[in-house]
Amino acid sequence: SYRLQAAGKLQDAALRMERVVDESPDAYFPRLRLAYLLLLAGKYEASAEAYRMAALLEPAAIEPQLGLQRAYLALKQYDSAVQAGEEALDRAPGSYEGLSLLAWSLYLRGDARPAAETYARVLELYPGDLEMRAGLGWSLLADRKPAEARRAFEEVLSAYPEHAGARRGLDACR
């Protein structure tokens, strides 16, 4: 499946993994790999189902929850994405990927304040992450806190003056 994926043949790679899953339905990794390939191929419903099955096989694992969250985001099922993200963080509270995906999911769902709080949690652990700081700015702007948003966007632009998202955010603060 890896060679097929590298060649851009995602459907064929997924079909190859489906055969492996059929031969070993209780094996975690093939199910996880299939879910990922389906996600890449744009088969989001099938990907979500494969991620759910992988999560049943390894209940403590965070990776199927994060994959499931990505599938829900692609499907624009933001409530489900937030729930999957919260479950991932229950398993690994300090996960960068878990926190950043949850912040994005909350923002897309329209929960600006919890999104800003989650971006702030990421920034406690990774204060130099410009993308998370820009996300914080957008969340603060959506929460009607333009002065705080301005500071976040200015911090991004002081390190990376060409950051288009932060530039647009700063312009929106005016």
Side-chain angles (χ1 to χ4, degrees), residues 108-128:
L108 290 175
R109 188 169 79 172
D111 292 339
R113 182 165 295 141
E117 291 167 357
T118 307
Y119 278 118
R121 284 177 58 198
V122 176
L123 289 166
E124 287 173 7
L125 301 170
Y126 302 92

Side-chain angles (χ1 to χ4, degrees), residues 120-164:
R121 284 177 58 198
V122 176
L123 289 166
E124 287 173 7
L125 301 170
Y126 302 92
D129 190 317
L130 298 179
E131 294 307 315
M132 294 299 106
R133 194 160 302 281
L136 173 64
W138 283 105
S139 297
L140 290 167
L141 191 59
D143 195 26
R144 300 180 183 179
K145 296 181 178 177
E148 292 177 49
R150 173 184 297 281
R151 281 193 297 278
F153 293 130
E154 287 173 344
E155 288 175 352
V156 172
L157 292 168
S158 72
Y160 180 20
E162 292 82 28
H163 193 285

Side-chain angles (χ1 to χ4, degrees), residues 98-114:
L99 286 167
S100 62
L101 270 176
L102 180 60
W104 179 238
S105 299
L106 288 163
Y107 179 80
L108 290 175
R109 188 169 79 172
D111 292 339
R113 182 165 295 141

Side-chain angles (χ1 to χ4, degrees), residues 9-23:
K9 298 179 179 181
L10 297 174
Q11 297 279 48
D12 292 338
L15 287 172
R16 174 85 39 97
M17 286 312 300
E18 282 178 0
R19 286 193 291 257
V20 174
V21 167
D22 288 343
E23 292 171 12

Side-chain angles (χ1 to χ4, degrees), residues 1 4 13 15 19 38 43 66 72 84 86 89 105 115 140 153 158 171:
S1 73
L4 291 168
L15 287 172
R19 286 193 291 257
L38 290 168
K43 307 289 186 185
L66 295 173
Y72 287 142
E86 289 170 344
L89 286 172
S105 299
L140 290 167
F153 293 130
S158 72
D171 290 344

Side-chain angles (χ1 to χ4, degrees), residues 54-111:
L56 291 173
L57 293 170
E58 290 290 340
I62 187 175
E63 32 187 21
Q65 287 304 124
L66 295 173
L68 181 58
Q69 188 176 9
R70 284 189 171 83
Y72 287 142
L73 286 170
L75 291 164
K76 298 182 178 176
Q77 295 176 4
Y78 302 127
D79 290 338
S80 296
V82 167
Q83 181 180 351
E86 289 170 344
E87 289 176 19
L89 286 172
D90 285 345
R91 294 177 178 116
S95 165
Y96 171 84
E97 191 173 359
L99 286 167
S100 62
L101 270 176
L102 180 60
W104 179 238
S105 299
L106 288 163
Y107 179 80
L108 290 175
R109 188 169 79 172
D111 292 339

